[in-house]
Amino acid sequence: MEISYTPNPNPATPEARDAVLAAPGFGKHFTDHMFKATWTADAGWHDAGVIPYGPLQLDPASAVLHYAQEIFEGLKAYKHADGTIRAFRPEANGERLVRSARRLALPELPVEDFVAAVEALVKTDRAWVDDRPEASLYLRPFMFASEVFLGVRPAAEVTFMVIASPAAAYFKGGAKPVSIWLSSEYTRAAPGGTGAAKCGGNYAASLAAMTEAAEHGCEQVCFLDAAESKYIEELGGMNIFLVHRDGKLITPELNGSILEGVTRSSILTLGKELGLDVEERRVTIDEWRDGVADGTITEVFACGTAAVVTPVGQLSWDGGSVGDSSAPAGEITSRIRDTLVDIQFGRAADPYGWMRTLA
Ligand SMILES: *Cc1c(COP(=O)(O)O)cnc(C)c1O
């Protein structure tokens, strides 16, 4: 893929950039450039380039605005002590984007083009990758149906973009436990649906459940399987792990409706290295509830790129709760989190070759 380069004539001043980097929040501020490429059924991928960050002009009849033919990715780049900027497993995100594209009838972007796009943007905006402790640059690649057409069929024109947003330590002062609401009214994904694809539509469908969770004082939702409402699937944007008293690390097996997290897969690898018995299998909600109540489940945590590893304090449902929302992160949760972030920030060796130098 040939990538053109159009510099932003009005980039943020160093002072303005530093003000953002000092307090970036999450997903609120963006770098000076973005990557954009177009696909058409006739010409394939073309017009790839790094261009100034700014609003898109979209025709109101652009298909994505009506039928939600859209997928996305999320990954981070980190500044290492030697000055290099490295991304965590970008190929894994590129591979997942290909799988999501197949499910949403979007064109496949070759993994090497995905990585080249991320690399081109990070190289251009490398000044936005901060070296404050635990700071990173969150990268958001996405693809959508940009064809102007209201008929229902896969779009013949598609846009792929990458934008970048500085991110601070997700939790100041260590990972704070979250409270989880068990949704009994809503499901996130059903067999044969789009649960395993990273698509915006899955998130739209989870928002009413998030609102329900907030009404019950919870920060996140846990979804159960759609067929039997019996097995744990995941949270709206994070996978979930249970730690058993006897050293087992358990996560729901991939069943076609759970999103295959890159963090999840990395933790499965690290768990073995840390001497845990790793199990991917079906996990009932009763195993969680009863296990926390009787002490066989000693720790629960959620994981994903944005927050890395988040301890789960309490699980609530219509009629009860288990756990303690103020309990500190458990020992295994903290060890897994530290092992992973030390690799990401270059403070530990990278035995699996997960870090990819971009700039
Ligand atoms: C992105 C995502 C995750 C976490 O995946 P990572 O690759 O670890 O960031 C989990 N669940 C859903 C629904 C997601 O969209």
Side-chain angles (χ1 to χ4, degrees), residues 281-328:
R281 59 167 168 82
R282 295 209 286 188
V283 182
T284 65
I285 185 62
D286 288 339
E287 179 174 355
W288 181 353
R289 277 201 285 230
D290 299 348
V292 172
D294 70 17
T296 42
I297 303 292
T298 50
E299 300 176 33
V300 180
F301 65 86
C303 67
T305 295
V308 194
V309 168
T310 306
V312 173
Q314 194 172 50
L315 172 69
S316 303
W317 60 91
D318 206 359
S321 69
V322 286
D324 172 1
S325 58
S326 62

mmCIF file of all heavy atoms in Angstrom, residues 281-328:
data_model
loop_
_atom_site.group_PDB
_atom_site.id
_atom_site.type_symbol
_atom_site.label_atom_id
_atom_site.label_comp_id
_atom_site.label_asym_id
_atom_site.label_seq_id
_atom_site.Cartn_x
_atom_site.Cartn_y
_atom_site.Cartn_z
ATOM 1 N N ARG A 281 -13.352 -22.642 29.457
ATOM 2 C CA ARG A 281 -14.503 -23.550 29.438
ATOM 3 C C ARG A 281 -15.760 -22.747 29.725
ATOM 4 O O ARG A 281 -15.697 -21.557 30.018
ATOM 5 C CB ARG A 281 -14.320 -24.652 30.474
ATOM 6 C CG ARG A 281 -14.168 -24.157 31.910
ATOM 7 C CD ARG A 281 -14.324 -25.312 32.889
ATOM 8 N NE ARG A 281 -13.912 -24.976 34.240
ATOM 9 C CZ ARG A 281 -14.662 -24.329 35.129
ATOM 10 N NH1 ARG A 281 -15.863 -23.883 34.788
ATOM 11 N NH2 ARG A 281 -14.208 -24.091 36.355
ATOM 12 N N ARG A 282 -16.898 -23.428 29.657
ATOM 13 C CA ARG A 282 -18.126 -22.741 30.019
ATOM 14 C C ARG A 282 -18.139 -22.506 31.526
ATOM 15 O O ARG A 282 -17.724 -23.366 32.303
ATOM 16 C CB ARG A 282 -19.329 -23.571 29.605
ATOM 17 C CG ARG A 282 -19.416 -23.723 28.089
ATOM 18 C CD ARG A 282 -20.845 -23.891 27.644
ATOM 19 N NE ARG A 282 -21.319 -25.226 27.980
ATOM 20 C CZ ARG A 282 -22.494 -25.714 27.569
ATOM 21 N NH1 ARG A 282 -23.288 -24.976 26.807
ATOM 22 N NH2 ARG A 282 -22.880 -26.915 27.914
ATOM 23 N N VAL A 283 -18.574 -21.324 31.936
ATOM 24 C CA VAL A 283 -18.615 -20.970 33.356
ATOM 25 C C VAL A 283 -20.036 -20.499 33.652
ATOM 26 O O VAL A 283 -20.518 -19.552 33.029
ATOM 27 C CB VAL A 283 -17.627 -19.821 33.673
ATOM 28 C CG1 VAL A 283 -17.643 -19.500 35.164
ATOM 29 C CG2 VAL A 283 -16.209 -20.159 33.209
ATOM 30 N N THR A 284 -20.696 -21.159 34.578
ATOM 31 C CA THR A 284 -22.067 -20.717 34.888
ATOM 32 C C THR A 284 -22.024 -19.525 35.832
ATOM 33 O O THR A 284 -21.066 -19.322 36.576
ATOM 34 C CB THR A 284 -22.897 -21.826 35.564
ATOM 35 O OG1 THR A 284 -22.315 -22.113 36.839
ATOM 36 C CG2 THR A 284 -22.943 -23.091 34.705
ATOM 37 N N ILE A 285 -23.117 -18.767 35.803
ATOM 38 C CA ILE A 285 -23.200 -17.620 36.702
ATOM 39 C C ILE A 285 -23.260 -18.110 38.152
ATOM 40 O O ILE A 285 -22.760 -17.450 39.065
ATOM 41 C CB ILE A 285 -24.400 -16.705 36.326
ATOM 42 C CG1 ILE A 285 -24.410 -15.449 37.184
ATOM 43 C CG2 ILE A 285 -25.727 -17.424 36.382
ATOM 44 C CD1 ILE A 285 -23.187 -14.555 37.039
ATOM 45 N N ASP A 286 -23.814 -19.312 38.375
ATOM 46 C CA ASP A 286 -23.857 -19.848 39.743
ATOM 47 C C ASP A 286 -22.460 -20.169 40.259
ATOM 48 O O ASP A 286 -22.188 -20.014 41.443
ATOM 49 C CB ASP A 286 -24.750 -21.083 39.807
ATOM 50 C CG ASP A 286 -26.221 -20.699 39.673
ATOM 51 O OD1 ASP A 286 -26.541 -19.520 39.939
ATOM 52 O OD2 ASP A 286 -27.031 -21.560 39.289
ATOM 53 N N GLU A 287 -21.574 -20.620 39.353
ATOM 54 C CA GLU A 287 -20.199 -20.897 39.784
ATOM 55 C C GLU A 287 -19.556 -19.615 40.320
ATOM 56 O O GLU A 287 -18.841 -19.640 41.328
ATOM 57 C CB GLU A 287 -19.392 -21.455 38.601
ATOM 58 C CG GLU A 287 -17.933 -21.736 38.972
ATOM 59 C CD GLU A 287 -17.135 -22.431 37.871
ATOM 60 O OE1 GLU A 287 -17.720 -22.805 36.829
ATOM 61 O OE2 GLU A 287 -15.921 -22.608 38.062
ATOM 62 N N TRP A 288 -19.821 -18.502 39.660
ATOM 63 C CA TRP A 288 -19.295 -17.201 40.112
ATOM 64 C C TRP A 288 -19.930 -16.795 41.438
ATOM 65 O O TRP A 288 -19.251 -16.564 42.434
ATOM 66 C CB TRP A 288 -19.538 -16.143 39.027
ATOM 67 C CG TRP A 288 -19.031 -14.758 39.350
ATOM 68 C CD1 TRP A 288 -18.507 -14.308 40.539
ATOM 69 C CD2 TRP A 288 -19.026 -13.628 38.468
ATOM 70 N NE1 TRP A 288 -18.173 -12.977 40.452
ATOM 71 C CE2 TRP A 288 -18.483 -12.537 39.195
ATOM 72 C CE3 TRP A 288 -19.417 -13.437 37.148
ATOM 73 C CZ2 TRP A 288 -18.343 -11.268 38.627
ATOM 74 C CZ3 TRP A 288 -19.271 -12.166 36.584
ATOM 75 C CH2 TRP A 288 -18.734 -11.093 37.310
ATOM 76 N N ARG A 289 -21.268 -16.747 41.427
ATOM 77 C CA ARG A 289 -21.984 -16.276 42.629
ATOM 78 C C ARG A 289 -21.676 -17.142 43.850
ATOM 79 O O ARG A 289 -21.286 -16.639 44.902
ATOM 80 C CB ARG A 289 -23.492 -16.330 42.365
ATOM 81 C CG ARG A 289 -24.004 -15.124 41.631
ATOM 82 C CD ARG A 289 -25.495 -14.944 41.830
ATOM 83 N NE ARG A 289 -26.263 -15.907 41.052
ATOM 84 C CZ ARG A 289 -27.276 -15.561 40.251
ATOM 85 N NH1 ARG A 289 -27.619 -14.289 40.121
ATOM 86 N NH2 ARG A 289 -27.944 -16.468 39.586
ATOM 87 N N ASP A 290 -21.829 -18.448 43.699
ATOM 88 C CA ASP A 290 -21.622 -19.347 44.845
ATOM 89 C C ASP A 290 -20.156 -19.390 45.242
ATOM 90 O O ASP A 290 -19.825 -19.479 46.417
ATOM 91 C CB ASP A 290 -22.105 -20.770 44.512
ATOM 92 C CG ASP A 290 -23.594 -20.802 44.181
ATOM 93 O OD1 ASP A 290 -24.271 -19.779 44.442
ATOM 94 O OD2 ASP A 290 -24.065 -21.825 43.631
ATOM 95 N N GLY A 291 -19.276 -19.321 44.220
ATOM 96 C CA GLY A 291 -17.843 -19.400 44.497
ATOM 97 C C GLY A 291 -17.342 -18.207 45.299
ATOM 98 O O GLY A 291 -16.527 -18.361 46.214
ATOM 99 N N VAL A 292 -17.834 -17.022 44.974
ATOM 100 C CA VAL A 292 -17.426 -15.837 45.747
ATOM 101 C C VAL A 292 -18.014 -15.948 47.159
ATOM 102 O O VAL A 292 -17.342 -15.682 48.158
ATOM 103 C CB VAL A 292 -17.883 -14.531 45.051
ATOM 104 C CG1 VAL A 292 -17.633 -13.320 45.950
ATOM 105 C CG2 VAL A 292 -17.130 -14.355 43.732
ATOM 106 N N ALA A 293 -19.273 -16.403 47.237
ATOM 107 C CA ALA A 293 -19.932 -16.492 48.552
ATOM 108 C C ALA A 293 -19.227 -17.505 49.456
ATOM 109 O O ALA A 293 -19.047 -17.257 50.645
ATOM 110 C CB ALA A 293 -21.403 -16.860 48.365
ATOM 111 N N ASP A 294 -18.788 -18.645 48.897
ATOM 112 C CA ASP A 294 -18.199 -19.672 49.785
ATOM 113 C C ASP A 294 -16.664 -19.660 49.780
ATOM 114 O O ASP A 294 -16.030 -20.511 50.400
ATOM 115 C CB ASP A 294 -18.744 -21.070 49.445
ATOM 116 C CG ASP A 294 -18.251 -21.607 48.106
ATOM 117 O OD1 ASP A 294 -17.248 -21.083 47.552
ATOM 118 O OD2 ASP A 294 -18.860 -22.563 47.584
ATOM 119 N N GLY A 295 -16.080 -18.698 49.054
ATOM 120 C CA GLY A 295 -14.628 -18.538 49.130
ATOM 121 C C GLY A 295 -13.825 -19.381 48.151
ATOM 122 O O GLY A 295 -12.593 -19.304 48.136
ATOM 123 N N THR A 296 -14.469 -20.166 47.297
ATOM 124 C CA THR A 296 -13.689 -20.929 46.314
ATOM 125 C C THR A 296 -13.186 -20.032 45.177
ATOM 126 O O THR A 296 -12.134 -20.286 44.603
ATOM 127 C CB THR A 296 -14.486 -22.115 45.715
ATOM 128 O OG1 THR A 296 -15.803 -21.680 45.446
ATOM 129 C CG2 THR A 296 -14.509 -23.304 46.640
ATOM 130 N N ILE A 297 -13.953 -18.992 44.848
ATOM 131 C CA ILE A 297 -13.470 -17.988 43.883
ATOM 132 C C ILE A 297 -12.882 -16.844 44.714
ATOM 133 O O ILE A 297 -13.606 -16.159 45.437
ATOM 134 C CB ILE A 297 -14.608 -17.450 42.993
ATOM 135 C CG1 ILE A 297 -15.311 -18.579 42.249
ATOM 136 C CG2 ILE A 297 -14.092 -16.385 42.022
ATOM 137 C CD1 ILE A 297 -14.505 -19.267 41.191
ATOM 138 N N THR A 298 -11.586 -16.641 44.582
ATOM 139 C CA THR A 298 -10.920 -15.663 45.443
ATOM 140 C C THR A 298 -10.734 -14.306 44.768
ATOM 141 O O THR A 298 -10.585 -13.300 45.441
ATOM 142 C CB THR A 298 -9.545 -16.190 45.896
ATOM 143 O OG1 THR A 298 -8.841 -16.641 44.735
ATOM 144 C CG2 THR A 298 -9.700 -17.351 46.859
ATOM 145 N N GLU A 299 -10.692 -14.301 43.416
ATOM 146 C CA GLU A 299 -10.516 -13.031 42.719
ATOM 147 C C GLU A 299 -11.296 -13.093 41.404
ATOM 148 O O GLU A 299 -11.407 -14.156 40.791
ATOM 149 C CB GLU A 299 -9.033 -12.773 42.385
ATOM 150 C CG GLU A 299 -8.126 -12.719 43.605
ATOM 151 C CD GLU A 299 -6.647 -12.558 43.239
ATOM 152 O OE1 GLU A 299 -6.351 -11.896 42.221
ATOM 153 O OE2 GLU A 299 -5.803 -13.116 43.963
ATOM 154 N N VAL A 300 -11.786 -11.938 40.971
ATOM 155 C CA VAL A 300 -12.432 -11.818 39.663
ATOM 156 C C VAL A 300 -11.862 -10.549 39.031
ATOM 157 O O VAL A 300 -11.698 -9.533 39.711
ATOM 158 C CB VAL A 300 -13.968 -11.690 39.801
ATOM 159 C CG1 VAL A 300 -14.623 -11.561 38.432
ATOM 160 C CG2 VAL A 300 -14.551 -12.874 40.572
ATOM 161 N N PHE A 301 -11.515 -10.637 37.745
ATOM 162 C CA PHE A 301 -11.070 -9.407 37.075
ATOM 163 C C PHE A 301 -11.534 -9.373 35.633
ATOM 164 O O PHE A 301 -11.838 -10.404 35.036
ATOM 165 C CB PHE A 301 -9.545 -9.223 37.183
ATOM 166 C CG PHE A 301 -8.705 -10.262 36.487
ATOM 167 C CD1 PHE A 301 -8.382 -10.137 35.140
ATOM 168 C CD2 PHE A 301 -8.209 -11.353 37.189
ATOM 169 C CE1 PHE A 301 -7.586 -11.084 34.506
ATOM 170 C CE2 PHE A 301 -7.410 -12.313 36.565
ATOM 171 C CZ PHE A 301 -7.098 -12.176 35.218
ATOM 172 N N ALA A 302 -11.633 -8.149 35.107
ATOM 173 C CA ALA A 302 -11.990 -7.938 33.709
ATOM 174 C C ALA A 302 -10.753 -7.452 32.983
ATOM 175 O O ALA A 302 -9.825 -6.915 33.606
ATOM 176 C CB ALA A 302 -13.102 -6.903 33.610
ATOM 177 N N CYS A 303 -10.700 -7.632 31.658
ATOM 178 C CA CYS A 303 -9.498 -7.212 30.932
ATOM 179 C C CYS A 303 -9.836 -6.716 29.533
ATOM 180 O O CYS A 303 -10.783 -7.167 28.900
ATOM 181 C CB CYS A 303 -8.494 -8.355 30.861
ATOM 182 S SG CYS A 303 -9.031 -9.724 29.854
ATOM 183 N N GLY A 304 -9.026 -5.752 29.082
ATOM 184 C CA GLY A 304 -9.180 -5.197 27.746
ATOM 185 C C GLY A 304 -8.081 -4.161 27.541
ATOM 186 O O GLY A 304 -7.407 -3.770 28.502
ATOM 187 N N THR A 305 -7.887 -3.718 26.309
ATOM 188 C CA THR A 305 -6.786 -2.801 25.989
ATOM 189 C C THR A 305 -6.841 -1.505 26.804
ATOM 190 O O THR A 305 -5.830 -1.058 27.333
ATOM 191 C CB THR A 305 -6.826 -2.462 24.493
ATOM 192 O OG1 THR A 305 -6.567 -3.669 23.777
ATOM 193 C CG2 THR A 305 -5.802 -1.408 24.118
ATOM 194 N N ALA A 306 -8.033 -0.920 26.921
ATOM 195 C CA ALA A 306 -8.124 0.412 27.528
ATOM 196 C C ALA A 306 -7.688 0.389 28.991
ATOM 197 O O ALA A 306 -6.819 1.147 29.396
ATOM 198 C CB ALA A 306 -9.534 0.961 27.387
ATOM 199 N N ALA A 307 -8.279 -0.515 29.798
ATOM 200 C CA ALA A 307 -7.995 -0.519 31.236
ATOM 201 C C ALA A 307 -7.018 -1.620 31.622
ATOM 202 O O ALA A 307 -6.684 -1.746 32.796
ATOM 203 C CB ALA A 307 -9.282 -0.666 32.016
ATOM 204 N N VAL A 308 -6.574 -2.424 30.690
ATOM 205 C CA VAL A 308 -5.665 -3.565 30.876
ATOM 206 C C VAL A 308 -6.311 -4.637 31.770
ATOM 207 O O VAL A 308 -6.898 -5.574 31.254
ATOM 208 C CB VAL A 308 -4.280 -3.153 31.417
ATOM 209 C CG1 VAL A 308 -3.294 -4.312 31.253
ATOM 210 C CG2 VAL A 308 -3.750 -1.925 30.675
ATOM 211 N N VAL A 309 -6.177 -4.493 33.084
ATOM 212 C CA VAL A 309 -6.764 -5.465 34.010
ATOM 213 C C VAL A 309 -7.484 -4.681 35.096
ATOM 214 O O VAL A 309 -6.893 -3.805 35.722
ATOM 215 C CB VAL A 309 -5.675 -6.372 34.631
ATOM 216 C CG1 VAL A 309 -6.234 -7.176 35.797
ATOM 217 C CG2 VAL A 309 -5.074 -7.296 33.578
ATOM 218 N N THR A 310 -8.748 -4.965 35.284
ATOM 219 C CA THR A 310 -9.569 -4.246 36.263
ATOM 220 C C THR A 310 -10.146 -5.225 37.273
ATOM 221 O O THR A 310 -10.897 -6.124 36.890
ATOM 222 C CB THR A 310 -10.756 -3.559 35.543
ATOM 223 O OG1 THR A 310 -10.244 -2.744 34.495
ATOM 224 C CG2 THR A 310 -11.556 -2.707 36.498
ATOM 225 N N PRO A 311 -9.820 -5.079 38.565
ATOM 226 C CA PRO A 311 -10.417 -5.989 39.540
ATOM 227 C C PRO A 311 -11.920 -5.762 39.660
ATOM 228 O O PRO A 311 -12.386 -4.624 39.565
ATOM 229 C CB PRO A 311 -9.708 -5.626 40.853
ATOM 230 C CG PRO A 311 -8.975 -4.361 40.619
ATOM 231 C CD PRO A 311 -8.895 -4.098 39.155
ATOM 232 N N VAL A 312 -12.654 -6.836 39.843
ATOM 233 C CA VAL A 312 -14.090 -6.746 40.055
ATOM 234 C C VAL A 312 -14.335 -6.878 41.549
ATOM 235 O O VAL A 312 -13.930 -7.868 42.159
ATOM 236 C CB VAL A 312 -14.830 -7.860 39.284
ATOM 237 C CG1 VAL A 312 -16.307 -7.870 39.654
ATOM 238 C CG2 VAL A 312 -14.655 -7.650 37.782
ATOM 239 N N GLY A 313 -14.966 -5.851 42.134
ATOM 240 C CA GLY A 313 -15.230 -5.870 43.570
ATOM 241 C C GLY A 313 -16.505 -6.628 43.894
ATOM 242 O O GLY A 313 -16.505 -7.598 44.631
ATOM 243 N N GLN A 314 -17.587 -6.189 43.262
ATOM 244 C CA GLN A 314 -18.896 -6.720 43.625
ATOM 245 C C GLN A 314 -19.709 -7.086 42.390
ATOM 246 O O GLN A 314 -19.595 -6.439 41.357
ATOM 247 C CB GLN A 314 -19.645 -5.638 44.420
ATOM 248 C CG GLN A 314 -20.867 -6.147 45.131
ATOM 249 C CD GLN A 314 -21.450 -5.086 46.057
ATOM 250 O OE1 GLN A 314 -21.673 -3.937 45.660
ATOM 251 N NE2 GLN A 314 -21.691 -5.463 47.300
ATOM 252 N N LEU A 315 -20.509 -8.141 42.525
ATOM 253 C CA LEU A 315 -21.462 -8.527 41.485
ATOM 254 C C LEU A 315 -22.858 -8.375 42.076
ATOM 255 O O LEU A 315 -23.145 -8.938 43.134
ATOM 256 C CB LEU A 315 -21.219 -9.984 41.069
ATOM 257 C CG LEU A 315 -22.255 -10.597 40.114
ATOM 258 C CD1 LEU A 315 -22.154 -9.957 38.731
ATOM 259 C CD2 LEU A 315 -22.061 -12.110 40.004
ATOM 260 N N SER A 316 -23.699 -7.606 41.373
ATOM 261 C CA SER A 316 -25.066 -7.392 41.866
ATOM 262 C C SER A 316 -26.061 -7.863 40.826
ATOM 263 O O SER A 316 -25.791 -7.815 39.630
ATOM 264 C CB SER A 316 -25.326 -5.908 42.141
ATOM 265 O OG SER A 316 -24.385 -5.403 43.057
ATOM 266 N N TRP A 317 -27.228 -8.284 41.277
ATOM 267 C CA TRP A 317 -28.304 -8.673 40.369
ATOM 268 C C TRP A 317 -29.613 -8.298 41.030
ATOM 269 O O TRP A 317 -29.622 -7.812 42.164
ATOM 270 C CB TRP A 317 -28.224 -10.170 40.049
ATOM 271 C CG TRP A 317 -28.333 -11.043 41.270
ATOM 272 C CD1 TRP A 317 -29.465 -11.574 41.807
ATOM 273 C CD2 TRP A 317 -27.249 -11.463 42.111
ATOM 274 N NE1 TRP A 317 -29.160 -12.288 42.931
ATOM 275 C CE2 TRP A 317 -27.810 -12.249 43.144
ATOM 276 C CE3 TRP A 317 -25.863 -11.255 42.095
ATOM 277 C CZ2 TRP A 317 -27.039 -12.813 44.149
ATOM 278 C CZ3 TRP A 317 -25.097 -11.831 43.104
ATOM 279 C CH2 TRP A 317 -25.674 -12.603 44.113
ATOM 280 N N ASP A 318 -30.684 -8.518 40.315
ATOM 281 C CA ASP A 318 -31.990 -8.189 40.830
ATOM 282 C C ASP A 318 -32.245 -9.095 42.039
ATOM 283 O O ASP A 318 -32.536 -10.261 41.859
ATOM 284 C CB ASP A 318 -33.027 -8.459 39.714
ATOM 285 C CG ASP A 318 -34.242 -7.600 39.887
ATOM 286 O OD1 ASP A 318 -34.280 -6.824 40.854
ATOM 287 O OD2 ASP A 318 -35.156 -7.712 39.053
ATOM 288 N N GLY A 319 -32.044 -8.574 43.224
ATOM 289 C CA GLY A 319 -32.335 -9.380 44.419
ATOM 290 C C GLY A 319 -31.136 -9.754 45.269
ATOM 291 O O GLY A 319 -31.292 -10.429 46.284
ATOM 292 N N GLY A 320 -29.925 -9.354 44.882
ATOM 293 C CA GLY A 320 -28.798 -9.713 45.751
ATOM 294 C C GLY A 320 -27.463 -9.250 45.222
ATOM 295 O O GLY A 320 -27.371 -8.616 44.168
ATOM 296 N N SER A 321 -26.408 -9.581 45.963
ATOM 297 C CA SER A 321 -25.058 -9.246 45.524
ATOM 298 C C SER A 321 -24.067 -10.119 46.278
ATOM 299 O O SER A 321 -24.382 -10.654 47.344
ATOM 300 C CB SER A 321 -24.750 -7.767 45.760
ATOM 301 O OG SER A 321 -24.651 -7.502 47.143
ATOM 302 N N VAL A 322 -22.873 -10.284 45.686
ATOM 303 C CA VAL A 322 -21.758 -10.929 46.386
ATOM 304 C C VAL A 322 -20.518 -10.071 46.188
ATOM 305 O O VAL A 322 -20.429 -9.312 45.226
ATOM 306 C CB VAL A 322 -21.431 -12.367 45.875
ATOM 307 C CG1 VAL A 322 -22.454 -13.369 46.342
ATOM 308 C CG2 VAL A 322 -21.229 -12.392 44.373
ATOM 309 N N GLY A 323 -19.571 -10.243 47.084
ATOM 310 C CA GLY A 323 -18.299 -9.539 46.950
ATOM 311 C C GLY A 323 -18.315 -8.225 47.702
ATOM 312 O O GLY A 323 -19.282 -7.885 48.383
ATOM 313 N N ASP A 324 -17.217 -7.507 47.545
ATOM 314 C CA ASP A 324 -17.021 -6.286 48.319
ATOM 315 C C ASP A 324 -16.438 -5.243 47.370
ATOM 316 O O ASP A 324 -15.331 -5.395 46.850
ATOM 317 C CB ASP A 324 -16.039 -6.600 49.463
ATOM 318 C CG ASP A 324 -15.618 -5.351 50.223
ATOM 319 O OD1 ASP A 324 -16.094 -4.253 49.883
ATOM 320 O OD2 ASP A 324 -14.801 -5.499 51.149
ATOM 321 N N SER A 325 -17.223 -4.182 47.153
ATOM 322 C CA SER A 325 -16.800 -3.198 46.142
ATOM 323 C C SER A 325 -15.578 -2.386 46.593
ATOM 324 O O SER A 325 -14.960 -1.711 45.785
ATOM 325 C CB SER A 325 -17.956 -2.264 45.805
ATOM 326 O OG SER A 325 -18.375 -1.622 46.981
ATOM 327 N N SER A 326 -15.223 -2.465 47.877
ATOM 328 C CA SER A 326 -14.050 -1.686 48.315
ATOM 329 C C SER A 326 -12.824 -2.571 48.548
ATOM 330 O O SER A 326 -11.777 -2.083 48.986
ATOM 331 C CB SER A 326 -14.393 -0.906 49.584
ATOM 332 O OG SER A 326 -14.721 -1.814 50.617
ATOM 333 N N ALA A 327 -12.947 -3.878 48.249
ATOM 334 C CA ALA A 327 -11.798 -4.767 48.448
ATOM 335 C C ALA A 327 -10.672 -4.376 47.490
ATOM 336 O O ALA A 327 -10.935 -4.024 46.342
ATOM 337 C CB ALA A 327 -12.204 -6.214 48.197
ATOM 338 N N PRO A 328 -9.416 -4.415 47.920
ATOM 339 C CA PRO A 328 -8.322 -4.085 47.009
ATOM 340 C C PRO A 328 -8.148 -5.203 45.969
ATOM 341 O O PRO A 328 -8.680 -6.291 46.134
ATOM 342 C CB PRO A 328 -7.104 -4.006 47.930
ATOM 343 C CG PRO A 328 -7.457 -4.844 49.118
ATOM 344 C CD PRO A 328 -8.948 -4.812 49.257
#
